[in-house]
């Protein structure tokens, strides 16, 4: 069997729709709207302080929906606050439309921010909340009314324009905050975990709304989130951050299918990591199977095989196939979880390692599947990645 050292496959459950794919292709060749070069941020003394951002380089395209994704403490919110002008970077340069904005104060930057808390004025109606930024820019009369009406129509709140924030649902308040931020026509809209306060169903609805609004306006969106599924569902491209560094930039499909390192493989989506031992420069032993690989390792080196749960097949009855015989690993079912369209199996391999397999429920309909059932686990060549066992970021 031959195994690629990097790779992966996007399952049907994780595929993005054609709009996202076509959108990311269409963005190629567009001008850079937002450029970051060597951006660093240290809190405290330069020599002994906390390094929140380290040499961040990014190019975000005009009209792109771009996400900054990473775990808590990775630096994504610090980066967004620097873009907004709410904090100063320790080093590096930020440009919008080829104009350096390092010394430009927040109120003069061509950006607006939507915060997690929405920050609406409770004593203002929806209309007055949306008009606030325009009034601050000395826009009045018919120009003011026309722009507010455009924003109300954009976020589908025309009929609620005279209500107060306390009379609105969480999703409606979110749309008011977005309309208020877009009304002055910023070059870039920054969104700081702005969906995290919503319940699951409303969050999904607002994801669709955000995409629709961004496509309608053509404004560059920079979206900060720790939610991997949210970032993949919304983004044309995204940057994954860890410990203040950008570790990979790409489309959601590219990052899901070909994570750059073991950290990203484990952070984006679900991943099984199976310990292997290198028997030679291109052979490894895993769960009693000897496999040929397209990657050189020192004999005796410890490596890790990575494979998505949905990429595994499970043979329950001993039937053979090329797929099963090529990479069949003996194991025993430990636990079963039915979630509707997916049957999730926890399997203990013959060497004591555990993995998770996700099968489509309709593919196993009628089969007798019970804990302690002996099985063989298989995987396609193209669905496997291999990393050094000690690899982190």
């Amino acid at each position: 069997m031959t195994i690629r050292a990097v790779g992966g496959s996007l399952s049907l459950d994780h595929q993005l729709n054609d709009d996202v794919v076509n959108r990311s292709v269409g963005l190629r060749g567009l001008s850079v709207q937002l450029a970051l070069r060597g951006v660093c941020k240290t809190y405290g003394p330069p020599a002994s302080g906390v390094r929140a951002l380290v040499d961040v380089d990014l190019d975000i395209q005009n009209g792109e929906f771009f996400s900054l994704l990473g775990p808590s403490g990775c630096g994504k919110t610090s980066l967004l606050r620097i873009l907004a002008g709410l904090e100063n970077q320790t080093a590096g340069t930020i440009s919008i439309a080829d104009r350096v904005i390092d010394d430009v104060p927040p109120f003069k930057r061509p950006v607006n921010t939507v915060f997690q808390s929405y920050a609406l004025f409770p004593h203002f109606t929806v209309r007055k909340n949306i008009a606030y930024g325009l009034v601050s820019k000395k826009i009045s009369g018919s120009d003011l009314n026309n722009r507010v009406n455009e924003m109300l129509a954009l976020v589908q709140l025309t009929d609620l324009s005279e209500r107060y924030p306390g009379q609105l649902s969480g999703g409606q308040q979110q749309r008011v905050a977005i309309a208020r931020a877009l009304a002055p026509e910023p070059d870039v809209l920054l969104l700081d975990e702005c969906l995290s306060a919503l319940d699951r169903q409303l969050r999904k609805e607002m994801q669709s709304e955000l995409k629709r609004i961004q496509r309608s306006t053509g404004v560059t969106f920079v979206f900060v989130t720790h939610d991997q599924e949210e970032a993949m569902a919304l983004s044309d491209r995204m940057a994954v951050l860890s410990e203040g560094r950008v570790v990979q930039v790409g489309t959601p499909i590219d990052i899901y299918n070909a994570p750059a390192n073991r950290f990203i493989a484990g952070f984006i989506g679900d991943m099984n990591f199976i310990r292997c031992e290198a028997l030679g420069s291109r052979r490894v032993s895993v769960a009693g199977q000897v496999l040929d690989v397209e990657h050189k390792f020192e004999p005796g080196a410890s490596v890790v095989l990575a494979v998505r749960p949905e990429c595994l097949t499970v043979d329950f009855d001993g039937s053979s196939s090329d797929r099963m015989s090529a990479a069949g690993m003996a194991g025993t079912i430990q636990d079963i979880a039915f979630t509707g369209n997916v049957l999730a199996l926890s399997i203990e391999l013959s060497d004591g390692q555990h993995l998770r397999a996700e099968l489509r429920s309709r593919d196993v309909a009628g089969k007798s599947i019970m804990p302690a059932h002996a099985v063989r686990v298989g995987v396609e060549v193209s669905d496997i990645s291999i990393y050094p066992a000690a690899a982190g970021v």
Side-chain angles (χ1 to χ4, degrees):
M1 177 182 178
T2 302
I3 300 179
R4 296 187 300 126
V6 295
S9 177
L10 191 66
S11 74
L12 292 175
D13 291 337
H14 290 79
Q15 281 182 354
L16 304 181
N17 59 39
D18 290 340
D19 175 65
V20 173
V21 176
N22 294 335
R23 173 76 176 172
S24 62
V25 171
L27 284 165
R28 296 172 188 169
L30 292 183
S31 61
V32 174
Q33 176 79 336
L34 179 60
L36 292 79
R37 295 292 179 267
V39 173
C40 301
K41 178 64 179 181
T42 301
Y43 294 99
S48 58
V50 177
R51 303 177 74 191
L53 295 169
V54 183
D55 295 327
V56 173
D57 291 331
L58 281 175
D59 285 328
I60 299 175
Q61 308 297 323
N62 186 29
E64 186 171 29
F65 198 123
F66 191 94
S67 291
L68 301 173
L69 172 67
S72 297
C74 72
K76 58 187 183 294
T77 297
S78 293
L79 182 54
L80 181 136
R81 290 178 62 81
I82 289 170
L83 294 175
L86 302 177
E87 295 186 20
N88 295 321
Q89 66 264 39
T90 306
T93 299
I94 300 172
S95 301
I96 294 180
D98 296 326
R99 177 194 175 196
V100 176
I101 63 167
D102 298 338
D103 298 324
V104 178
F107 63 91
K108 289 188 176 181
R109 293 191 177 195
V111 304
N112 266 341
T113 305
V114 179
F115 296 99
Q116 181 178 344
S117 62
Y118 313 149
L120 300 178
F121 299 112
H123 57 292
F124 281 3
T125 63
V126 169
R127 176 176 289 276
K128 287 185 177 180
N129 264 285
I130 294 174
Y132 181 80
L134 298 171
V135 173
S136 300
K137 292 181 176 291
K138 312 299 184 184
I139 298 173
S140 60
S142 61
D143 289 340
L144 174 64
N145 288 329
N146 290 340
R147 184 59 180 166
V148 171
N149 287 336
E150 288 176 13
M151 291 297 97
L152 286 167
L154 176 68
V155 298
Q156 300 175 351
L157 289 176
T158 300
D159 293 340
L160 304 180
S161 64
E162 299 306 318
R163 289 193 183 182
Y164 291 88
Q167 299 172 311
L168 303 176
S169 68
Q172 289 167 341
Q173 291 182 47
Q174 180 65 274
R175 282 186 274 166
V176 175
I178 293 168
R180 183 180 62 183
L182 286 172
E185 300 182 276
D187 291 339
V188 178
L189 185 66
L190 309 174
L191 303 105
D192 185 15
E193 304 262 15
C194 64
L195 303 183
S196 60
L198 304 177
D199 62 53
R200 183 175 183 273
Q201 184 59 40
L202 189 54
R203 190 163 65 247
K204 286 187 175 295
E205 293 175 5
M206 279 306 303
Q207 287 175 10
S208 298
E209 277 294 287
L210 268 183
K211 288 173 67 174
R212 181 187 63 81
I213 292 168
Q214 196 272 334
R215 301 296 189 258
S216 297
T217 61
V219 173
T220 302
F221 277 27
V222 179
F223 183 77
V224 165
T225 183
H226 65 275
D227 188 314
Q228 302 97 318
E229 289 189 8
E230 191 168 82
M232 289 194 291
L234 288 170
S235 307
D236 296 315
R237 290 190 307 142
M238 58 190 190
V240 182
L241 284 79
S242 177
E243 298 180 353
R245 299 178 184 272
V246 174
V247 289
Q248 188 170 2
V249 178
T251 66
I253 290 177
D254 290 341
I255 293 176
Y256 187 89
N257 281 348
N261 55 41
R262 186 177 172 183
F263 162 75
I264 298 174
F267 183 69
I268 302 294
D270 295 327
M271 184 72 81
N272 292 299
F273 293 104
I274 307 170
R275 297 186 308 276
C276 311
E277 180 182 358
L279 302 179
S281 63
R282 296 181 183 274
R283 304 191 84 195
V284 298
S285 173
V286 51
Q289 296 290 311
V290 177
L291 309 175
D292 294 325
V293 300
E294 292 182 350
H295 198 82
K296 290 185 178 181
F297 296 104
E298 293 294 327
S302 295
V303 295
V304 171
L305 180 153
V307 60
R308 302 282 183 192
E310 71 271 13
C311 295
L312 297 172
T313 58
V314 181
D315 183 7
F316 300 99
D317 53 16
S319 61
S320 62
S321 69
D322 291 341
R323 184 174 190 176
M324 299 309 305
S325 60
M329 295 175 285
T332 304
I333 296 175
Q334 300 295 304
D335 194 18
I336 302 170
F338 176 71
T339 60
N341 64 324
V342 171
L343 185 72
L345 304 178
S346 176
I347 299 173
E348 182 177 359
L349 298 178
S350 59
D351 62 356
Q353 297 189 75
H354 291 81
L355 55 77
R356 176 184 172 91
E358 294 181 353
L359 311 176
R360 291 186 299 178
S361 298
R362 66 182 184 183
D363 292 341
V364 294
K367 292 184 179 292
S368 176
I369 304 172
M370 301 289 292
H373 194 141
V375 295
R376 296 193 71 82
V377 181
V379 62
E380 292 282 4
V381 171
S382 59
D383 292 334
I384 297 175
S385 303
I386 293 181
Y387 304 99
V393 175

